[in-house]
Amino acid sequence: MLAIKYQDGVVIAGDRRATEGFQIAERRIEKVFKIDEWSAMAIAGAAGPCIEMAKLFQTELEHYEKLEGMALSCEGKANKLGQMVKANLPMVFQGLVVMPLYVGYDVTRAEGRIFKYDITGGRYEESDYHAIGSGGKDARNTMREHFRKNLSESDGLKLALLSLYNAADDDVGTGGPDLIRGIYPTAKFVNAQGITDVVDDMLKAVYDEMMTARRSRET
Amino acid sequence: MAMPYYVSPEQMMQDKAEYAKKGIAKGRSIIAMEYFDGILLTADNPSASLHKVSEIYDNIAFAGAGKYSEFENLRKAGIRHADLKGFMYSREDVTGRSLANGYSQSLGTVFSQEMKPLEVEILVVQAGTNSHPNEIYRISFDGSIIDEKNVAVIGGRAEAVQTILKEKSSSQAPSLDAALKLCVTALEQTANQKLQPEGLEVAVLDRTRIGRKFRRVSVSDIRRILSP
């Protein structure tokens, strides 16, 4: 799961694999969630508690917005998620880790923002990109080499998918694109227009181009 | 010997009802009207920040007339009830009917057991989706619940507004613009004064929207719609 800043906001993307020991438990799991009109999160860790936390976070933000008549600030939402991660700390000692990556479009600052967390609920803002999960380090390696400031939307998406591809190449826990079944990673743009899902056709086009380039290197 | 004085239950209820009615009569009116794509809520509200109309859930909205602090508490309780239910079960299991019943229960209990009844009248409206009809519930200070069709009015001059609306409404659901014009005309006629767009609180439950159907209509949009 990773997030990259680009000129209009942030692109957030994640693979679709869930594992159970050495087995693949699920090929189509969604690990990137739209949280509200202006933010999304990706999760790594134990699937059950992860999804529950995402759902509770969505409810909390919507609840706050309706009670107070206005939405929380981007910073406020990131802090709230930090508290939820902290509350999960006892479960971490039982082996059930929940590690989110939170991205939001800060309407007052007119920019996309990326927040990473540690298991104690510590919240750290990233200026350019970040990746979490078993393949996080592999993805970060790719992003470090190719990231520049003010990427275009399509270059941002391409870098996200390339980083996921390389992570899947080196990490057993990360799933690559499944060309036979037509399963592609989930990707969303978070910008002034809100949250936009990247459609499968667009993902497929990026992968087709990437595959062709890779194949030509092998001959 | 001092005589322990006796008040008959009938007398007590009547006094309480009179007290509550007097409180509500002081307030301005709020109209809920079905239109082509959902339900329109129009309130005569000079405050831009103290809302009388609010979102409860995906396709459910709330409107309160009377004492602000009292219906604000009810509004918050409703949102809590809806969010809790939606989280525990599923979003589609949150219904206006169950919410209206909850409100009816608590208003009824307060009316019969507390010294002071709540001086409020509330509306719970649900925009029907997937070819389900709209639902409009009007709940009074004593907990009585009325299932309204097409249009419902609460607040000070509710009956007068209702009469005007009944006269002018057609059998077919109007467009948003027509519905808003009709509501504002009715409010102006009963208030005997011209209402400015800034003094109106307008919101819709628009079933064509994806996800949450509630939307506030901005002052500039109100002005555009009302301009002749």
Side-chain angles (χ1 to χ4, degrees):
Chain A
M1 272 58 59
L2 56 86
I4 304 170
K5 279 199 197 173
Y6 71 100
Q7 60 185 16
D8 304 328
V10 185
V11 55
I12 184 167
D15 69 303
R16 308 285 294 271
R17 176 171 291 177
T19 53
E20 223 171 64
F22 293 107
Q23 297 252 302
I24 292 179
E26 174 70 63
R27 295 175 204 284
R28 307 173 186 268
I29 196 164
E30 291 271 356
K31 295 188 269 188
V32 179
F33 301 95
K34 174 183 174 178
I35 298 298
D36 61 9
E37 288 309 305
W38 302 106
S39 66
M41 79 189 250
I43 42 158
C50 278
I51 292 166
E52 194 193 356
M53 186 180 287
K55 201 179 149 196
L56 183 60
F57 189 39
Q58 285 167 340
T59 307
E60 291 265 14
L61 296 191
E62 188 189 319
H63 189 66
Y64 181 94
E65 187 191 327
K66 288 188 290 195
L67 282 190
E68 301 295 325
M70 65 199 299
L72 270 169
S73 65
C74 188
E75 189 110 8
K77 292 179 211 170
N79 285 337
K80 174 72 204 167
L81 184 56
Q83 287 161 17
M84 292 172 72
V85 174
K86 186 179 178 185
N88 189 57
L89 191 60
M91 296 308 286
V92 173
F93 297 115
Q94 314 276 318
L96 299 170
V97 179
V98 176
M99 185 55 58
L101 177 64
Y102 181 61
V103 304
Y105 187 78
D106 192 323
V107 184
T108 51
R109 290 196 198 182
E111 64 169 359
R113 299 175 74 179
I114 301 174
F115 297 93
K116 66 176 182 184
Y117 296 86
D118 64 28
I119 47 159
T120 61
R123 187 214 72 169
Y124 313 93
E125 184 162 7
E126 281 289 333
S127 57
D128 300 323
Y129 58 82
H130 191 63
I132 53 163
S134 61
K137 199 175 170 204
D138 300 304
R140 282 201 298 277
N141 283 337
T142 305
M143 291 191 284
R144 183 169 51 241
E145 292 307 311
H146 297 284
F147 179 81
R148 332 177 242 106
K149 295 274 186 193
N150 292 317
L151 286 165
S152 71
E153 188 168 271
S154 67
D155 286 346
L157 178 64
K158 273 181 198 161
L159 179 54
L161 297 183
L162 177 70
S163 308
L164 279 178
Y165 186 87
N166 287 347
D169 212 30
D170 279 338
D171 170 49
V172 286
T174 307
D178 189 333
L179 304 174
I180 309 294
R181 296 186 182 85
I183 305 169
Y184 297 98
T186 323
K188 295 182 199 301
F189 292 122
V190 180
N191 53 32
Q193 276 74 53
I195 316 290
T196 322
D197 286 337
V198 182
V199 292
D200 271 3
D201 287 346
M202 204 159 150
L203 296 167
K204 184 173 181 300
V206 175
Y207 273 118
D208 284 348
E209 196 185 316
M210 200 193 303
M211 299 291 151
T212 316
R214 293 255 161 153
R215 226 173 265 131
S216 67
R217 268 196 263 165
E218 297 295 326
T219 50
Chain B
M1 194 183 83
M3 283 284 283
Y5 65 90
Y6 170 80
V7 182
S8 72
E10 288 92 344
Q11 183 62 48
M12 206 179 335
M13 290 300 158
Q14 210 178 330
D15 287 353
K16 280 189 192 181
E18 233 160 67
Y19 176 81
K21 274 181 196 160
K22 217 184 264 174
I24 297 163
K26 276 185 269 177
R28 298 159 193 244
S29 309
I30 304 168
I31 308 173
M33 181 184 268
E34 291 186 42
Y35 76 101
F36 189 72
D37 284 325
I39 302 172
L40 167 73
L41 293 153
T42 313
D44 175 359
N45 183 4
S47 168
S49 50
L50 301 174
H51 297 304
K52 293 186 178 187
V53 172
S54 143
E55 172 185 19
I56 295 271
Y57 211 63
D58 287 352
N59 54 348
I60 304 171
F62 171 96
K67 217 171 189 180
Y68 181 80
S69 61
E70 291 179 350
F71 68 72
E72 176 68 3
N73 273 337
L74 292 171
R75 181 186 77 91
K76 286 187 170 163
I79 293 172
R80 210 165 292 131
H81 167 98
D83 279 340
L84 205 63
K85 209 166 172 189
F87 182 75
M88 272 203 305
Y89 306 109
S90 120
R91 293 195 85 91
E92 62 196 285
D93 296 314
V94 180
T95 59
R97 189 179 56 84
S98 105
L99 202 63
N101 271 316
Y103 278 133
S104 162
Q105 289 293 328
S106 40
L107 281 168
T109 309
V110 170
F111 183 76
S112 57
Q113 293 180 3
E114 303 282 323
M115 261 292 282
K116 179 197 157 318
L118 293 176
E119 297 158 72
V120 293
E121 193 170 20
I122 58 175
L123 282 175
V124 174
V125 299
Q126 177 176 340
T129 47
N130 301 324
S131 73
H132 281 286
N134 296 326
E135 289 169 31
I136 300 176
Y137 299 100
R138 183 160 63 85
I139 302 137
S140 298
F141 55 87
D142 59 353
S144 59
I145 177 170
I146 300 132
D147 183 0
E148 303 267 13
K149 288 274 165 295
N150 303 322
V151 67
V153 189
I154 54 169
R157 287 172 285 264
E159 272 162 33
V161 178
Q162 184 107 28
T163 322
I164 297 172
L165 288 172
K166 279 263 160 64
E167 277 170 23
K168 296 191 175 173
S169 64
S170 59
S171 57
Q172 283 205 321
S175 70
L176 176 58
D177 293 13
L180 181 59
K181 277 181 188 159
L182 186 57
C183 288
V184 173
T185 314
L187 288 174
E188 280 176 344
Q189 275 188 24
T190 42
N192 271 325
Q193 59 169 343
K194 185 104 181 94
L195 294 172
Q196 294 304 314
E198 290 81 15
L200 287 170
E201 184 182 354
V202 181
V204 287
L205 283 171
D206 178 350
R207 72 167 73 85
T208 61
R209 284 168 69 86
I210 299 161
R212 289 156 70 183
K213 316 288 182 203
F214 185 85
R215 176 172 67 90
R216 289 191 185 282
V217 181
S218 67
V219 172
S220 56
D221 282 343
I222 300 172
R223 185 170 294 124
R224 184 182 51 75
I225 294 169
L226 293 182
S227 65

